[in-house]
Amino acid sequence: MDNRTGHRIVPETAAPRGDRLAERHAAARYGNRPTMKDVAARAGVGLKTVSRVVNGEPGVTADTERRVQEAIEALGFRRNDSARVLRKGRTASIGLVLEDLADPFYGPLSRAVEEVARAHGALLINGSSAEDPDREQELVLALCARRVDGLVVIPAGDDHRYLEPELRAGVATVFVDRPAGQIDADVVLSDNFGGARDGVAHLIAHGHRRIGFIGDMPRIHTAAERLRGYRTAMADAGIPVTDSWTSLGVTDPQRVRRAAEEMLSGAEPVTAIFAGNNRVTVTVVRVLAERSRPVALVGFDDFELADLLQPGVTVVAQDAAQLGRTAAERLFSQLDGTLLTPERTELPTRLITRGSGELPPAD
Amino acid sequence: MDNRTGHRIVPETAAPRGDRLAERHAAARYGNRPTMKDVAARAGVGLKTVSRVVNGEPGVTADTERRVQEAIEALGFRRNDSARVLRKGRTASIGLVLEDLADPFYGPLSRAVEEVARAHGALLINGSSAEDPDREQELVLALCARRVDGLVVIPAGDDHRYLEPELRAGVATVFVDRPAGQIDADVVLSDNFGGARDGVAHLIAHGHRRIGFIGDMPRIHTAAERLRGYRTAMADAGIPVTDSWTSLGVTDPQRVRRAAEEMLSGAEPVTAIFAGNNRVTVTVVRVLAERSRPVALVGFDDFELADLLQPGVTVVAQDAAQLGRTAAERLFSQLDGTLLTPERTELPTRLITRGSGELPPAD
DNA sequence: CTGAAAGCGCTTACAG
DNA sequence: CTGAAAGCGCTTACAG
């Protein structure tokens, strides 16, 4: 068989019990799952006794417990946590709203949030805002309607007043990577300004004066802070910045490629580029690989295999997992009542030199 | 300030309303959120009328609707979907259980599942099994207890009989990347066998005979299938395989490094390596970069920047997003009642040549 | 067009 | 040690 022509679909061999999917779901619609009431009837005990056994509460004789356990097994009972949640008020779930689950920067962050949630017995509901403020709001409010206990949000928008009623109602909330807009909330950030400033100063220290900056859309806080770091480093060194050296916008490859190529051509081409995030860095690496004249590069965000490229890519690294862990821990501190007032936590960045940032100016 | 010494924590300026986090949550514990009953009382209407307005049902006069809307705004009411869910029987949420949220292979897969879920109005709850069958089971059953409508599972274990009561109760389920064990279930796979066979045949076509295989633990279906592809390609070419050419186990860098170094030394070193997955490939690339003698390499799974390494890394690519999309679509077909019987879908892989797989044998 | 009653499957508060 | 009643916040089924 040529497996490149398309999908191969073959029926599975029927299971002994031979139930079809459609039958299963039709049954589900009519609520065929056993409830505590069914278990109680079968075991010949009261509802509360079943509840005690299911929850491991004391005050049940060994014999009663055994009868209840047998009924549970026989019926295939599994407690309906949505009913439990309704009664208890806490859902033991938290929401995570980020830009894009597929972006490698968010993988370790999500995983770290998940681990902390797990340690607190909570499940993680997550979704991507796709950098769209409306979609962020829609997602956040859907999570609030599900009554998640808390939210970890990497905001896309810059106005979060829509969250005020939810905060008042007690939804714990921590913003990560970018601050909340127009509301007072807990926030965990990387030192975007200092990291970019140090990265650009590193290029200056290696003799560069014409340094380009390619970043994300200026309405994104991290992009604005990193640009500010760039400008500060340049000003500190007494280097006036020409408009054509900075380019901000969406980070899709076409736009970044065009921006890089423009900076690298013309009468006074840049001799070094500071890339504002991992998406930008990757595209700039591609552009530079096609050119003969060496151009120095420092990127914000580390990425896998950066050390194996020729030359290795010097980066300003932030610890995505630590961002997630810190945010999640603060969230559960809020829920414990330990955390009394919103704070802003800033995590340090780290310059990792690998070669590309230490290249001297080509002219 | 030296931002490398630690975190900087500063209090946010107090918001005008000045409520502290602890107060918010204390209030929440006592259930201060307005309910439909509160809205009904304030608007001077019955409960059902509020329900009609909230759900956009017909049969409410414009004037009544306006009064209800005003009460909703004034109280900051948001419908409690966990109560709704209890009554309706469907939670409009699906669960995704994968190995590790932080693994770049699963990012695009998760995002694809999320997009399909979103198109069907469902939220995504997800978690990492960490390749531990017990943790997989714990997570899956927790999701069932929350009464997710369906599950997309990348299994860690090879016995899923624990899911039988859930399947009978109507939980839609699709397994992805690896088949279900001991139960009859819908499954979406890549052509691991064919992809590995073709990749190894590619090395053979370039003159290699001593070819190593480094893969994941053999109990993992994909690892076993890829090994089978390797053996088949070798057998088809009439090349007997020496035991020391194959190494299966955990894919952490230390183990893979040792395995690669062993194959590359000794009396009859391999001249080419087939790497069983993206984690393995990355480590093998590092090992090869440290050596002078060129060794050919083909890896299973594509990865970012593979084309920019020297040489570019030839890979057998699978479409992770397509795996996720296909699985999620099948899941919703089950829920629609469209899909009647469990099937096995196999997606093709694609060989991408970039240089490392076309190197001739060094001897 | 509108609403009172019953019920989803649990837990809470209480009584025996 | 055990259980009947009330209630979590909605929707369903029905009556006016």
Side-chain angles (χ1 to χ4, degrees):
Chain A
M1 188 195 115
D2 179 359
N3 64 30
R4 286 193 185 73
T5 53
H7 309 174
R8 180 170 62 190
I9 299 186
V10 298
E12 293 275 81
T13 52
R17 66 179 190 281
D19 55 350
R20 303 188 317 159
L21 292 171
E23 283 166 21
R24 291 181 193 165
H25 299 131
R29 253 171 247 125
Y30 298 101
N32 65 332
R33 288 196 85 125
T35 69
M36 281 192 182
K37 204 172 146 198
D38 299 322
V39 174
R42 175 154 186 143
V45 300
L47 196 56
K48 178 60 196 170
T49 298
V50 176
S51 175
R52 286 196 181 91
V53 172
V54 168
N55 295 302
E57 287 169 25
V60 183
T61 58
D63 183 61
T64 306
E65 175 161 1
R66 190 183 42 69
R67 287 218 315 287
V68 171
Q69 286 292 9
E70 279 170 10
I72 288 174
E73 305 275 307
L75 296 172
F77 169 78
R78 181 170 314 284
R79 183 181 63 199
N80 183 336
D81 281 354
S82 356
R84 169 169 230 246
V85 143
L86 176 61
R87 191 58 238 239
K88 298 207 81 125
R90 284 272 175 112
T91 57
S93 61
I94 66 171
L96 171 63
V97 176
L98 39 72
E99 190 217 323
D100 183 359
L101 273 174
D103 184 327
F105 176 71
Y106 296 112
L109 192 155
S110 304
R111 178 67 194 271
V113 172
E114 185 201 348
E115 289 302 327
V116 175
R118 182 177 144 85
H120 288 264
L123 287 176
L124 186 64
I125 308 181
N126 57 16
S128 304
S129 69
E131 208 62 270
D132 172 354
D134 292 337
R135 185 160 159 178
E136 171 209 297
Q137 176 170 346
E138 182 196 328
L139 202 47
V140 165
L141 292 180
L143 292 167
C144 290
R146 297 297 176 103
R147 296 294 188 266
V148 292
D149 297 330
L151 284 166
V152 174
V153 181
I154 293 156
D158 54 8
D159 183 354
H160 297 94
R161 281 174 295 187
Y162 71 84
L163 257 173
E164 277 182 348
E166 309 301 326
L167 294 176
R168 258 194 303 274
V171 181
T173 307
V174 179
F175 286 77
V176 196
D177 190 45
R178 309 167 187 173
Q182 317 266 47
I183 60 167
D184 182 31
D186 222 28
V187 53
V188 179
L189 306 172
S190 279
D191 181 14
N192 294 291
F193 166 74
R197 185 198 52 204
D198 295 352
V200 174
H202 182 75
L203 289 167
I204 295 170
H206 281 80
H208 296 273
R209 293 185 63 82
R210 297 201 308 276
I211 302 172
F213 177 95
I214 307 180
D216 211 330
M217 295 175 287
R219 69 168 170 79
I220 298 175
H221 175 261
T222 50
E225 281 294 286
R226 293 170 196 176
L227 177 61
R228 193 165 70 81
Y230 163 84
R231 290 195 188 285
T232 300
M234 295 296 268
D236 286 353
I239 305 172
V241 173
T242 303
D243 272 356
S244 64
W245 293 352
T246 62
S247 170
L248 282 84
V250 291
T251 59
D252 68 280
Q254 296 88 327
R255 211 267 318 167
V256 171
R257 171 172 285 277
R258 202 166 46 241
E261 283 169 350
E262 275 172 20
M263 287 177 191
L264 292 167
S265 56
E268 294 224 303
V270 299
T271 63
I273 292 178
F274 187 86
N277 71 24
N278 60 346
R279 302 296 84 198
V280 173
T281 306
V282 166
T283 299
V284 172
V285 166
R286 285 181 198 286
V287 171
L288 297 185
E290 296 160 6
R291 308 176 78 93
S292 52
R293 181 166 61 91
V295 172
L297 170 66
V298 174
F300 208 107
D301 295 332
D302 200 6
F303 57 97
E304 189 159 37
L305 302 182
D307 58 323
L308 284 182
L309 297 176
Q310 305 285 356
V313 180
T314 294
V315 299
V316 176
Q318 50 180 335
D319 189 340
Q322 186 60 29
L323 277 174
R325 200 175 303 121
T326 306
E329 278 164 0
R330 295 187 70 80
L331 191 74
F332 285 100
S333 295
Q334 286 185 26
L335 289 168
D336 292 348
T338 316
L339 190 59
L340 297 183
T341 179
E343 283 172 353
R344 177 194 186 96
T345 308
E346 205 164 274
L347 302 183
T349 59
R350 194 162 57 95
L351 184 73
I352 303 176
T353 58
R354 296 195 177 110
S356 75
E358 295 72 51
L359 294 172
D363 51 7
Chain B
M1 187 195 115
D2 179 2
N3 63 29
R4 284 191 188 76
T5 52
H7 309 174
R8 181 170 61 194
I9 299 187
V10 298
E12 293 274 79
T13 51
R17 65 178 189 281
D19 55 349
R20 302 188 317 161
L21 292 171
E23 284 167 21
R24 289 180 194 166
H25 299 131
R29 252 172 248 125
Y30 299 100
N32 66 334
R33 289 196 85 125
T35 70
M36 282 194 181
K37 203 173 148 198
D38 300 322
V39 174
R42 175 154 186 144
V45 300
L47 196 57
K48 178 61 195 169
T49 298
V50 176
S51 175
R52 285 195 182 91
V53 172
V54 168
N55 294 302
E57 288 168 26
V60 182
T61 59
D63 184 59
T64 307
E65 175 161 2
R66 191 183 43 69
R67 286 217 317 284
V68 172
Q69 286 291 10
E70 278 170 11
I72 288 173
E73 306 274 307
L75 297 172
F77 169 79
R78 182 170 316 284
R79 183 180 64 197
N80 183 336
D81 281 354
S82 41
R84 171 170 227 246
V85 144
L86 176 61
R87 192 58 239 239
K88 297 206 83 127
R90 285 272 176 113
T91 56
S93 61
I94 66 171
L96 172 63
V97 176
L98 39 73
E99 190 219 323
D100 183 358
L101 273 174
D103 184 327
F105 176 71
Y106 296 112
L109 192 155
S110 304
R111 178 67 194 271
V113 172
E114 184 202 348
E115 288 301 329
V116 175
R118 182 178 145 84
H120 288 264
L123 288 177
L124 186 65
I125 307 182
N126 58 19
S128 304
S129 69
E131 209 63 91
D132 172 354
D134 292 336
R135 185 161 160 178
E136 171 209 298
Q137 177 171 345
E138 181 197 330
L139 201 48
V140 164
L141 292 180
L143 292 167
C144 289
R146 298 298 176 102
R147 297 293 189 267
V148 292
D149 297 330
L151 284 166
V152 174
V153 181
I154 293 157
D158 53 8
D159 183 354
H160 297 94
R161 281 174 295 186
Y162 71 83
L163 256 173
E164 277 182 346
E166 309 301 326
L167 294 175
R168 259 195 302 275
V171 180
T173 308
V174 179
F175 286 77
V176 196
D177 191 43
R178 309 168 188 173
Q182 317 266 48
I183 61 166
D184 183 31
D186 223 28
V187 52
V188 179
L189 306 171
S190 280
D191 181 13
N192 294 292
F193 167 74
R197 185 197 53 204
D198 295 354
V200 174
H202 182 74
L203 289 167
I204 295 169
H206 282 81
H208 296 274
R209 293 185 63 82
R210 298 201 306 278
I211 302 173
F213 177 94
I214 306 180
D216 212 330
M217 296 174 287
R219 70 169 171 78
I220 298 175
H221 174 262
T222 50
E225 282 293 286
R226 292 170 196 175
L227 176 62
R228 193 165 69 82
Y230 163 83
R231 290 195 188 284
T232 300
M234 296 295 268
D236 286 353
I239 306 173
V241 173
T242 302
D243 270 357
S244 64
W245 293 353
T246 62
S247 170
L248 281 83
V250 293
T251 59
D252 69 280
Q254 296 88 327
R255 211 269 315 167
V256 171
R257 170 173 287 275
R258 203 167 44 240
E261 284 170 350
E262 276 172 21
M263 287 178 191
L264 292 168
S265 55
E268 293 224 303
V270 300
T271 63
I273 292 177
F274 187 86
N277 71 24
N278 59 347
R279 301 296 85 197
V280 173
T281 307
V282 166
T283 299
V284 172
V285 166
R286 286 182 197 284
V287 171
L288 298 185
E290 297 160 6
R291 307 177 78 91
S292 51
R293 181 165 60 92
V295 173
L297 171 66
V298 174
F300 208 108
D301 296 332
D302 200 6
F303 57 96
E304 188 160 39
L305 302 181
D307 58 322
L308 284 182
L309 297 176
Q310 306 286 355
V313 180
T314 294
V315 298
V316 176
Q318 50 179 336
D319 189 340
Q322 186 61 30
L323 277 174
R325 200 176 303 120
T326 305
E329 278 164 1
R330 295 187 70 80
L331 192 74
F332 285 100
S333 295
Q334 286 185 25
L335 290 168
D336 292 348
T338 315
L339 190 59
L340 296 184
T341 180
E343 283 171 354
R344 176 193 184 96
T345 308
E346 204 164 275
L347 302 182
T349 59
R350 196 162 54 94
L351 183 73
I352 304 176
T353 58
R354 296 195 177 110
S356 74
E358 295 73 51
L359 295 173
D363 50 8

